[in-house]
Each structure stands twice: as structure tokens, then as C-alpha cells.
Amino acid sequence: MIDIHTHVLPGVDDGSQSMEESLEMLALAADSGVKTLVATPHCNIPDEFDNYAGPELEALFVRLDEERKKAGIPLRLCRGMEVFATEELPELLQNGRVWTLNGTRYFLIEFAFHEDPDFCDNVLRRCRELDYLPIIAHPERYYFVQDDPGIAYEWCRQGYGLQLNKGSILGRFGERPWRTAELLLQHGLAACVASDAHSPYQRSTHMGELREYLTDELGESYMRLLLEENPARILDGRELLGYEPIPFR
């Protein structure tokens, strides 16, 4: 499995708070069958988390990877960010202030839960015009997608990848995110599923239960698409695979 969304970089956001926690998160991921994991700290959240690309963040990533090797944790660690959508985001991408996913044209973008869908479309379009490829983090958690899942269908038709959260699918964020995640899966709109892990305790990097659930509910082929094939394509910068999206009536 490949997990493209984790808050495993220590001490920079509301995820791991220490190197020890980060190593425990990496070990949990590896034990559950994750072969590649992307560190995606929150970036560009006004008055909360900046975390723009630079020497300090790079040094922290390198240190975490070195500690991972010393601990003998058998997985590959890649760079990325969960970038909050603002008017300035396209310019931040263009100016190299954002870590894309493993250095590809793909990048992980999140919106405010109550955001105006027209604003979302505008930012996504401007990023795409600069030849960047958005992967939209946890669309099932946005209130406007819960109210109108047709928005997610249009995003998929525009060629944006949709990344669902493990916790939503397993019902750990409440009924509305769970129901919306189920709808998106049933309509063939999800490109991949990731942990969005924040600690070794809750919202962890362990992916075993999710793999079993997806296999039981959707079949092994769909599970592999969501947890292996498309995440690998994202990190290689290749075109996403998927089923024909089914519109909402």
C-alpha cells in the first residue's frame, strides 16, 4: 500500500509532536503493509501553519528519514504537503513554495469545510492552468460536498483526483462524512484513499482495517486501485486510472 496523506513530520502542525511519535507512526504503517508513505504537513493555513518549502523543513524531513533508517523501519518516505486553498496558492506553487507529491505535478489541496464552491473551482482551475494537478483531500468532509455530492462528480470530470480519508470510510468522523464517502465510492469518484494520520494513537497510520473493509465491500480490484495503483501513479506523475464516474440524479 501507499499512503499519500499523513501528518508524520514532527512538531510542525497538529500531527506528530515528537520524533518518537513520528517513528511510531512509521512503524505502524510498515507493520500494516504500507510500503511508501508521504509526509504532508499542513501548509499555507493563515494565522495557523505556514510550513512553506525551505531549508528548515527540508532538514527536518531528512532527519526523520535518517532516524527511520536507523530504526530499521522498512518503508519509503516521500515529500508532500497538504496545502490550504487561498487566492495566493497558484503563485505559491509556481514559485516553489510548496512541496508537490514526490516532486511531481500532483499536489494535495484542502479547503475550508464551509468554503464557497465557486472559490474552490476558481483556485483549482488556476492551478490547472499552470500545469499542476490537484488531488483534493477528503472531499467527503466538506459541508458543501455533503450537501451536493454532484460537486465531487464535476471535479472528477474536470480531471481532479479525489482522496478519501480512512476515518470517513470507517465511520469515525460521523454519519455525514461516512455516507458521503460511501456515495463517492459507489459512483466511482475516488482516486485513492489515505490515512490522514495525525498520531500513533487516534487517526493512525495503520491501514490494515481499511484494506480489509475495502476488499470486503468493494472487491480486491477496487481496493488495489485506491490503495496501490493510483497512489503509485500519483508519486510517479502518471495519469490516474478509474472507473467511469456515475452522475448523481
Side-chain angles (χ1 to χ4, degrees):
M1 290 182 286
I2 298 172
D3 190 352
I4 70 160
H5 184 176
T6 72
H7 297 271
V8 72
L9 211 59
V12 297
D13 61 12
D14 58 349
S16 169
Q17 296 303 298
S18 67
M19 185 62 68
E20 290 73 24
E21 280 195 1
S22 295
L23 293 174
E24 191 171 350
M25 291 172 74
L26 296 179
L28 280 170
D31 288 346
S32 70
V34 174
K35 303 299 184 184
T36 302
L37 182 145
V38 187
T40 54
H42 285 294
C43 172
N44 195 46
I45 300 182
D47 302 318
E48 194 167 358
F49 303 118
D50 291 334
N51 290 328
Y52 300 115
E56 291 185 6
L57 210 62
E58 174 66 20
L60 184 60
F61 176 88
V62 169
R63 184 181 164 220
L64 175 59
D65 203 29
E66 289 173 346
E67 294 296 327
R68 175 196 63 79
K69 293 173 185 175
K70 289 179 187 176
I73 301 170
L75 57 71
R76 172 190 176 206
L77 188 63
C78 298
R79 293 167 184 78
M81 290 174 171
E82 183 182 17
V83 193
F84 189 79
T86 63
E87 286 286 354
E88 298 78 21
L89 175 54
E91 288 73 28
L92 292 171
L93 282 162
Q94 196 169 33
N95 294 331
R97 304 292 307 282
V98 169
W99 282 347
T100 60
L101 294 166
N102 197 36
T104 67
R105 306 303 284 182
Y106 287 106
F107 70 101
L108 188 65
I109 182 172
E110 70 167 332
F111 300 107
F113 283 16
H114 56 272
E115 191 55 87
D116 177 357
D118 289 338
F119 171 81
C120 300
D121 289 341
N122 179 264
V123 173
L124 290 165
R125 176 185 53 77
R126 289 170 58 212
C127 292
R128 189 64 179 268
E129 287 173 352
L130 294 172
D131 201 28
Y132 288 95
L133 304 173
I135 302 293
I136 300 171
H138 44 65
E140 77 282 356
R141 300 190 70 194
Y142 303 137
Y143 304 144
F144 55 94
V145 174
Q146 294 170 5
D147 292 338
D148 180 8
I151 292 169
Y153 172 76
E154 291 300 326
W155 283 345
C156 192
R157 287 189 64 233
Q158 293 294 323
Y160 309 138
L162 274 58
Q163 174 260 301
L164 274 56
N165 270 13
K166 174 185 77 169
S168 300
I169 293 170
L170 297 179
R172 291 170 185 164
F173 293 131
E175 184 172 356
R176 292 196 77 198
W178 172 71
R179 288 191 179 279
T180 306
E182 289 292 305
L183 276 175
L184 300 184
L185 289 169
Q186 291 163 7
H187 283 251
L189 303 181
C192 60
V193 179
S195 70
D196 191 5
H198 278 63
S199 83
Y201 317 112
Q202 295 181 331
R203 298 179 67 177
S204 81
T205 49
H206 197 281
M207 297 283 275
E209 183 181 0
L210 174 68
R211 178 175 55 195
E212 292 176 7
Y213 179 88
L214 292 174
T215 302
D216 291 344
E217 296 294 320
L218 303 173
E220 184 171 354
S221 177
Y222 203 170
M223 178 276 291
R224 291 191 180 279
L225 178 74
L226 297 172
L227 297 182
E228 298 175 10
E229 294 177 21
N230 272 339
R233 286 175 168 270
I234 289 168
L235 298 188
D236 290 341
R238 293 181 289 150
E239 185 177 355
L240 296 172
L241 299 175
Y243 299 101
E244 183 66 29
I246 302 170
F248 294 91
R249 296 185 182 277

